[in-house]
Each structure stands twice: as C-alpha cells, then as structure tokens.
Amino acid sequence: MKKRLFAYNILIILVGLVCFFAASVYITSVNNLNFAKDTVKEITQIYAGLYDERADIFSFVKNDGDIRITVISKNGAVLADNHPLDVAALENHLNRPEIKAADSDSPEAYIRYSNTLSVNLIYYALKVNSGDGYVFIRVAVPVAKIDAYLSESLPFLIFSLLIIIVFCLFLTRGTVNRIVKLFSFLSQNLRLLSAGEYKFTPVDGSYEEINEITREIDEVALILQNNFYELNNEKNKLKYILNNIADGILVADENKNIVLINSAALSIFNVTPDITHKNLNYVSYDKTLIGAVEDCVNFAKNALFELTLNGNIFLITVKRLPDAKLAIVVLSDVTENRESAKRREEFFANASHELKTPLTAIKGFNELTALNNKDESIRKYIDSITRETDRMLSLICDMLKLSELENTQDITPASVSLAKVVNEAYEAVSIVVSEKSIIYEIDGDGTVTAKPEHIYELIKNLIENAVRYSNQGGKVSVKIENNKKAVLLIISDNGIGISPDEQTRIFERFYRVERSRSGRSGGTGLGLSIVKHICALYDWKLSLKSKLGVGTEITVIFGVKQ
Ligand code: ADP
C-alpha cells in the first residue's frame, strides 16, 4: 500500500508539474511574441516618424542590428532594404499581408517565413506620406531572436522544476509514511480485537478526515469487543454445560467430520479431544451409527436406536440441526435402566410362577371343601374364596403372558382369520353377554399374519373389556374392515366410557379407572397392557375413542398392505 500510495502521489505531482511547466513555457513564449510584436510596431512607428522623402533612402534603412527595414512604393516595388540585396530583383510586395493591412489602414504584425532571408520574421508596416503619394515603411525582426530569450531562461526553469520535484518527493514520502503508519497501527490493532486487546488509536491532529475515520473504527471496535466478550462468555458457559452433561454429544457435518464433541462422548468412544475435525470413522465403525448420521445430514432423517459400545447400552438420538447440514448425536447410557427393567421382568415372571402353584392347590382344596360341605353359612365363605382365587389366578396368568410378551424373541407367524378368532373369543364372554342381555354384533372378515395366540389374546381382551364395561341391555359391535391399505378391527360399545384424563393412562400396567369398580367387574388391570405389547411387537397401530357415559371404540390397524 505504502509503495503504491507513494507512486500515485508522485505521478500526480509529476503530471501536474510537467503540465504547469509546459503551460508556463507556452505562456512565456506567447508573451514574448506579443512583446516582440509591440516592439516591432514601436520601431516601425519611430522609423515612420523619421522618414523624409528628401533624405537619402538608403541611409535611412541602414542599421547595425538584426532589424530589417524596407521602404516599399505604393505600387509594391521595393525602393530600399537595409539588407544588401538587389532591390530591383525583388518581386512586388503589394500582396504581402502586412502591406495589405497597412494599405487598408489597419496595420497588423505578421509572422512568416522570409524567402529573401530564409528565416521566420515578424513583419509590421505603416503607410507614410511621400510627395503627393505615399510609401510603406516595413520593419521585420527575426523570430529566432525572441525564442533565444526563452531558450536562455529554459535551463533555469528546468532547474527550478527539478528542485520542486525533489522537494515534493520528500514531502510526499513523509505524508505517505504518516498515513501508512496510522493505518498499519489500525490493522494491527484490529487483529487484537478478538483477543480483547484493542487499543484506542492515537489522534494525529494533521488529518481531521482520517481522525474521523479512526474515531468511528474505535467506536465500532469497542462494540465488537463487547460482543466478543459476551459471545466468549456464552461460549464458555455452553462449553462448561456441554462438558458436564452426563450424555455424550457429538456434532458431525455433511462430510461426517466431527465438528464438536463433549467430554462424555470422548470417554464413551475412548478418544482424545484432538479427534475434533476428524472423520466419524475415527470414533466408531458402527454401520448403524454412521448410516444414521449420513441419512440425517443428507436427507434430514432423524433416528432413535440402541447401540452397545464397550459393553454399555446407549440410546442414540440422531437429529438434524435446523438450517444447517449438521447432525447432532446424543448418546444416553441406558445400561442401568435396561438391567433394572430386566431384573424387574425376571422377578415378575418368577413371582407369578411361584404364586401360581400354591394358588392352584388352594383352589383345588377349596373345591373339595365345597363338595363335602352343605352348610349354607360356610358355603358363603367358600364361594368368596373361589372368586378371589379365580381372580388371583387370572391376574397371575395375565402377568405371565405379559412377561412372556416382553421376553419373546420367537414370532412364528401364520395367516389368521380375524372373524374366526372373534368367534372363539366370544365363547369367553358369552355367559356375561347373556347375563347382561347385551346386543352383540360381528361384521366382516380379514386375514392377518401373526402368531395365532397373540391375535387371540388381543381380541379376547378387547371384547372382554367391551362386554365388561357395558351396561345392562347395552350393545357391543365387532367390525372387521378390509380396505385397500390395511385390515382394521373396530370394537365398540355404548358402555360407561372413559374420561379424557384416564384415556392416556389405561394402557399402563395395573391401571384401572376405578379400582373398586374394576375389581368388582373381574378385571386385572393388565388386559390393555397385553394388547399394547402385542401391537408394539407387530408394529400395529392402536387408537382409542371414548366419551364418558356414551361409549368406547378401540381400533387396531394391522399394518399397511404393500
Ligand atoms: P381391566 O382388566 O381392569 O379391564 P384393562 O387394562 O383391560 O384392565 O383396562 C384398564 C382400564 O381401562 C379398565 O380398568 C377400565 O376402567 C378401562 N376400560 C378398558 N376398556 C374399557 C371400555 N371398553 N369401556 C370403559 N372402560 C374401559
């Protein structure tokens, strides 16, 4: 910048000085010429005044200088000339411009080339009375004589010009140095801005405009510095939070390069912080993880899956950052949860097994007691024991079914007719249907592929609930729809219904809307949990519509047809 600024300045000054010099020379030469013309006119006037027709004409024109004096008759014939020429041989001068001008009484000086003397001359002529006529007195001065003045003063002019140029060089260099120094201070200072070390620019009184700019830069820099401070603070806070989160967090870009990784993720993958900006392959070769990140950055596809890393189970969430081709991977360690859930399930299954055997024995002994005892007051207690043991047995059976569903790995599917299963399930509720005088309707049929026991459990539980929570003389309808996209099972009743608050909870284990009511109706609180588990196992959709006091409709959508 310094060199260029210096060169530009010098160039401008040089062009200016040369133009000024040329203009000066031109003006001086024009002035000289005008002065010479005026001098020629004055000389001519003096000669015209001195002219005497009676005097010797040749003595009149004679002079020692460079001035040429010519006397021309009114006919244009040269009468006398101070240059030793053959006057008679000279051609007629009437058509010479200075003679024409003098003849028309408007004398004018002219510069022209003299064929006689072979030089440029300034000519001026005046008309002078002579006898009963007139003659022309003409004076001519060589132009070279005038130019000589200029050539004499030219070396001095060039010398002055050179001194001015040298002076300008020093002055420009000083000015450029000062400006450049100021700007280099500014640029160095701006570099310190992000580190929060910006210093105010010292004010240089010489350039008010530059001071104005530096003041503005200082103001903007101050604002930027404050913003940097705030951003840095926020960044540090965020870094602290990120590094103290128990979950592992990793951000990858579209090339699968790691943009950010927190302390938890570093220890999960057993890598060091210099992994940042390296490829995801450096932390894991797992195809599911890498594929999920690729799909997320390229197709904005979010993912949720489990992954076992170094013996621990992690729930992985892959989400795309809005407006950026970045995938955020969150790794939550769920090993503890999974293990305790597994322990709970094992306990659930073992306890159910252990309880089932003594209960079956109690039931058997109770039946034997009932056979041998006709006493009415004792029979009341025996019936009570029978009811409670039956309820406990069905509870244990449901618990075992649920635990079996949770642990099932083997699904050997078969084609199952839904209408057939609905009819089988009806057997289980037929007594209650007739006791409650329920209108029971079955309509349609459809085939689904699943383990038949699972279909039976699902339909039986839903029909049992519809009948169980129907009022006396109510209506239960089972509809199987077979549309182009899927097979639907719709079980509806006009029974007691479920309030909106309860609708979200009835699929939880042991949740019953009103324990005493459900207890009386013989429910275990596990029916809908079993239904939910079966649907989840096959990825079927389960939906519920219910209104308190109006009725309930539960729909199962058995997959989407291809
Ligand atoms: P339960 O064995 O008690 O019926 P479920 O898990 O099958 O247990 O149902 C949970 C609760 O949901 C029931 O206790 C009941 O209050 C409510 N419920 C289920 N189906 C219906 C229905 N068709 N009408 C009204 N309430 C129902």
Side-chain angles (χ1 to χ4, degrees), residues 391 395 398 461-470 491-493 495-499 502 505-515 517-519 521-531 544 546 548 551-554:
R391 213 175 84 73
L395 188 67
D398 277 359
N461 274 302
L462 292 176
I463 290 177
E464 260 179 3
N465 277 353
V467 171
R468 190 178 291 150
Y469 302 110
S470 276
I491 298 174
S492 53
D493 63 74
I496 58 171
I498 310 156
S499 71
E502 310 288 349
R505 302 208 56 195
I506 55 168
F507 293 95
E508 291 172 18
R509 267 177 215 195
F510 297 116
Y511 188 83
R512 281 170 289 167
V513 172
E514 196 189 307
R515 282 174 182 269
R517 185 189 83 180
S518 307
S521 56
T524 61
L526 290 174
L528 287 182
S529 294
I530 293 171
V531 170
L544 167 82
S546 186
L548 207 60
T552 305
E553 182 185 283
I554 292 188

Side-chain angles (χ1 to χ4, degrees), residues 47-107:
Y47 271 94
L50 291 173
Y51 180 74
D52 186 354
E53 62 198 56
R54 287 155 301 183
D56 176 25
I57 193 167
F58 292 102
S59 314
F60 173 74
V61 294
K62 195 173 176 192
N63 73 72
D64 297 331
D66 297 332
I67 302 166
R68 182 181 173 193
I69 315 284
T70 317
V71 180
I72 301 155
S73 76
K74 69 175 182 180
N75 303 323
V78 177
L79 302 175
D81 195 294
N82 60 337
H83 278 77
L85 294 164
D86 182 5
V87 172
L90 290 173
E91 61 184 42
N92 192 293
H93 273 45
L94 215 53
N95 60 349
R96 297 289 197 270
E98 68 280 1
I99 301 298
K100 272 186 185 170
D103 200 22
S104 58
D105 293 326
S106 47

Side-chain angles (χ1 to χ4, degrees), residues 123-177:
Y123 289 97
Y124 188 73
L126 282 173
K127 214 179 196 182
V128 178
N129 292 330
S130 172
D132 45 356
Y134 57 87
V135 289
F136 297 102
I137 306 295
R138 189 183 74 171
V139 174
V141 175
V143 174
K145 195 171 170 58
I146 303 147
D147 289 342
Y149 294 120
L150 197 66
S151 349
E152 274 166 28
S153 54
L154 208 60
F156 173 73
L157 281 175
I158 292 171
F159 180 69
S160 311
L161 183 76
L162 286 174
I163 288 193
I164 292 169
I165 287 173
V166 171
F167 181 70
C168 285
L169 272 172
F170 279 106
L171 212 68
T172 309
R173 206 174 67 168
T175 312
V176 167
N177 277 349

